[in-house]
């Protein structure tokens, strides 16, 4: 993004436009997340099978993955504001069609395309702003600035998006809650594209913009570590993103948990995530380093906590507080993945938008892979088998991080193990 000045890149604090962007992200994601914790059980209770529900979320995830990729490269080409406007409009169209012609009449054939259309919305709106954050933030606080984004993102999607439905469903019902999402998204969208003002807009001819669209793919060949980072980002959200599809049903049928209890546990998990979304990146920036934070706290930690969440109900039965404590620790270790965006974008300092396109694509792709795994294996392997699959993926993520060393870290390792030093 050539139009960003050196003065902007060297500034010490976060500009007001970025703060408003965080606020817009939080409010927008509340609207996007109001149904995530309960939609699958609701649809199954109204006649859909687990496989049909998984297919619905997989279709949504496929579109979301495509939109996540284009959020990065389109931001490179057009600037974040135009992309955010496109995301806002598409989300509203998809949501209204989904409610009126799919959800209310329980028409599965209409649910599939309309819910998928909505999947274009939040990646275009939120991830384009995230790309701008990676360009705008000084490297010394980059992980912290990205942590603020993910705190706002998860605060809207999972915290308010869980507690608000738990409180409002008895008052306005499921359909009313879905309509309230339109209000949340409109408010967040207007803050993002109007109040926040016009941040960087890029000028360029058609040939240059086409080159930007392709650069997100070619950069994986030029820098294979960025491709590895994309895979790690997929794993990051796959396990935790799949939980609402099948785990509440398991808790309800086997241990008697209610939808409201699950939403409170889910929301508390993300309160903990937000609380540590600045602490863990700060530790990463100052002491532990990005790669080791992702490897040990994020990857290994999430693998362990996936299994702990599986076996806690078996050990304690219907114990709301025991599972809540597990959720808190799960939310904390999930913060270990926050520095991934900083790490990947630093591998391509001149093409951060293209690098972030791969990270965003990975985030979106997880919403396709997660329900696909559930739909494929839940029938044959059951809940235990599916949870072990997700735990195994997190452990694979830890192994992949071995290969994600920054150039400076590789030079330091070579220096530490040089023949001259060994002889000395």
């Amino acid at each position: 993004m050539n139009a960003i000045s050196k003065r902007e890149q060297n500034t010490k604090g976060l500009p007001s436009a970025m703060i408003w962007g965080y606020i817009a992200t939080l409010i927008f994601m509340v609207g996007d997340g109001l149904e995530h914790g309960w939609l699958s059980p609701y649809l199954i209770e109204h006649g859909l099978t687990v496989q049909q529900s998984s297919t619905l979320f997989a279709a949504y995830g496929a579109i979301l993955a495509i939109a996540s990729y284009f959020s990065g490269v389109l931001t490179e080409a057009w600037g974040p504001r135009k992309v955010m406007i496109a995301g806002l409009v598409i989300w509203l169209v998809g949501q209204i069609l989904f409610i009126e012609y799919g959800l209310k009449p329980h028409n599965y054939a209409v649910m599939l395309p309309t819910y998928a259309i909505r999947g274009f919305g939040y990646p275009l709106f939120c991830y384009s702003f995230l790309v701008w954050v990676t360009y705008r933030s000084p490297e010394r606080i980059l992980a912290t600035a990205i942590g603020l984004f993910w705190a706002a993102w998860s605060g809207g999607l999972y915290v308010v998006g869980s507690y608000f439905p738990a409180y409002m469903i008895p008052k306005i019902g499921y359909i009313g809650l879905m309509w309230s999402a339109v209000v949340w998204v409109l408010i967040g969208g207007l803050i993002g594209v109007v109040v926040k003002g016009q941040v960087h807009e890029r000028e360029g001819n058609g040939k240059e913009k086409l080159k930007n669209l392709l650069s997100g793919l070619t950069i994986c060949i030029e820098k294979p570590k960025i491709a590895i980072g994309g895979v790690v980002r997929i794993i990051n959200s796959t396990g935790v993103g799949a939980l609402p599809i099948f785990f509440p049903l398991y808790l309800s049928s086997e241990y008697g948990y209610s939808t409201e209890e699950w939403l409170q546990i889910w929301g508390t998990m993300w309160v903990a995530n937000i609380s540590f979304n600045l602490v863990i990146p700060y530790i990463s920036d100052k002491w532990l380093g990005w790669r080791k934070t992702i490897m040990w706290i994020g990857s290994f930690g999430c693998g362990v906590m996936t299994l702990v969440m599986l076996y806690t109900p078996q050990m304690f039965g219907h114990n709301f507080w025991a599972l809540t404590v597990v959720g808190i620790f799960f939310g904390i270790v999930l913060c270990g993945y926050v520095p991934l965006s900083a790490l990947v974008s630093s591998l391509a300092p001149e093409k951060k938008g293209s690098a972030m396109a791969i990270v965003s694509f990975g985030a979106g792709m997880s919403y396709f892979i997660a329900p696909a795994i559930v739909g494929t294996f839940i029938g044959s392997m059951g809940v235990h088998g599916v949870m072990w699959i997700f735990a195994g993926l997190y452990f694979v993520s830890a192994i992949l991080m071995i290969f994600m060393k920054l150039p400076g870290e590789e030079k330091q390792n070579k220096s530490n193990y040089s023949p001259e030093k060994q002889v000395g």
Side-chain angles (χ1 to χ4, degrees):
M1 288 187 174
N2 299 328
I4 297 180
S5 66
K6 292 182 179 179
R7 178 187 62 79
E8 284 184 314
Q9 293 173 341
N10 293 329
T11 188
K12 292 184 178 181
L14 297 175
S16 60
M18 192 177 292
I19 301 300
W20 280 112
Y22 292 139
I23 295 172
T25 297
L26 187 148
I27 297 174
F28 188 102
M29 292 310 299
V30 171
D32 187 77
L34 288 183
E35 87 285 355
H36 283 199
W38 57 264
L39 182 59
S40 181
Y42 172 84
L43 293 174
I44 293 169
E45 289 174 2
H46 286 77
L48 267 64
T49 65
V50 174
Q51 287 75 15
Q52 284 178 314
S53 177
S54 299
T55 301
L56 178 73
F57 283 96
Y60 170 81
I63 297 299
L64 194 148
I66 295 170
S68 298
Y69 169 77
F70 280 101
S71 68
V73 292
L74 288 176
T75 302
E76 284 278 350
W78 301 333
R81 189 166 181 267
K82 293 177 182 177
V83 183
M84 292 170 77
I85 292 172
L88 172 63
V89 172
I90 294 173
W91 191 96
L92 291 171
V93 171
Q95 176 78 350
I96 293 169
L97 293 177
F98 175 73
I99 297 172
E100 197 63 30
Y101 301 104
L103 193 60
K104 286 173 68 174
H106 303 295
N107 189 331
Y108 182 67
V110 176
M111 289 183 197
L112 272 174
T114 55
Y115 198 61
I117 288 172
R118 208 192 75 162
F120 277 107
Y122 96 70
L124 294 180
F125 185 88
C126 295
Y127 292 162
S128 59
F129 170 66
L130 177 59
V131 172
W132 185 69
V133 170
T134 64
Y135 271 99
R136 179 63 177 79
S137 304
E139 187 168 337
R140 61 183 176 79
I141 61 167
L142 181 56
T144 302
I146 292 172
L148 280 169
F149 169 84
W150 289 115
W153 185 90
S154 57
L157 181 64
Y158 295 122
V159 179
V160 183
S162 296
Y163 286 121
F164 185 77
Y167 177 74
M168 293 301 294
I169 284 173
K171 300 180 183 301
I172 63 176
Y174 293 99
I175 301 298
L177 186 69
M178 292 295 283
W179 281 114
S180 74
V182 174
V183 178
W184 284 96
V185 167
L186 270 174
I187 294 172
L190 290 175
I191 292 174
V193 302
V194 179
V195 178
K196 188 172 68 66
Q198 184 165 342
V199 296
H200 163 70
E201 298 294 337
R202 181 182 175 91
E203 299 295 333
N205 56 37
K207 184 177 180 180
E208 182 184 3
K209 291 179 179 180
L210 178 60
K211 183 179 178 181
N212 285 326
L213 291 176
L214 297 175
S215 65
L217 299 174
T218 58
I219 198 170
C220 290
I221 300 173
E222 299 168 5
K223 299 180 181 292
K225 288 182 181 180
I226 291 178
I228 296 175
V231 173
V232 172
R233 185 63 184 89
I234 292 174
I235 296 172
N236 171 195
S237 296
T238 294
V240 71
L243 285 176
I245 299 174
F246 70 98
F247 205 63
L249 293 171
Y250 169 72
L251 293 177
S252 175
S253 61
E254 297 293 329
Y255 301 101
Y257 284 83
S258 67
T259 299
E260 288 75 16
E261 284 179 314
W262 162 253
L263 288 172
Q264 290 172 28
I265 293 168
W266 187 242
T268 303
M269 171 178 166
W270 291 99
V271 169
N273 179 264
I274 289 177
S275 301
F276 282 81
N277 232 335
L278 300 180
V279 176
I280 300 298
Y282 181 82
I283 293 172
S284 175
D285 280 336
K286 295 294 183 181
W287 296 295
L288 190 57
W290 296 340
R291 186 177 65 87
K292 291 181 180 178
T293 300
I294 300 164
M295 179 188 294
W296 293 111
I297 299 178
S299 303
F300 185 78
C302 285
V304 170
M305 291 313 302
T306 299
L307 298 178
V308 173
M309 178 164 278
L310 170 64
Y311 290 109
T312 294
Q314 296 182 34
M315 295 179 63
F316 297 97
H318 184 174
N319 190 319
F320 173 82
W321 293 110
L323 199 58
T324 298
V325 170
V326 173
I328 289 171
F329 280 100
F330 203 149
I332 291 172
V333 297
L334 193 61
C335 296
Y337 277 105
V338 169
L340 182 62
S341 297
L343 176 62
V344 173
S345 63
S346 295
L347 291 169
E350 302 302 322
K351 294 183 178 181
K352 288 187 176 183
S354 299
M356 287 302 298
I358 300 303
V359 176
S360 299
F361 176 76
M365 196 66 186
S366 66
Y367 285 90
F368 169 75
I369 293 177
I373 290 175
V374 174
T376 302
F377 295 105
I378 195 74
S380 59
M381 301 180 66
V383 171
H384 284 69
V386 171
M387 291 291 276
W388 270 98
I389 289 173
F390 291 132
L393 288 173
Y394 281 125
F395 294 137
V396 169
S397 170
I399 295 172
L400 290 175
M401 289 311 301
I402 296 173
F403 306 99
M404 290 290 288
K405 295 177 181 177
L406 288 167
E409 189 177 1
E410 291 180 338
K411 290 178 181 178
Q412 183 179 11
N413 290 341
K414 289 180 180 179
S415 176
N416 290 337
Y417 294 97
S418 63
E420 292 82 359
K421 287 193 174 185
Q422 296 303 309
V423 172

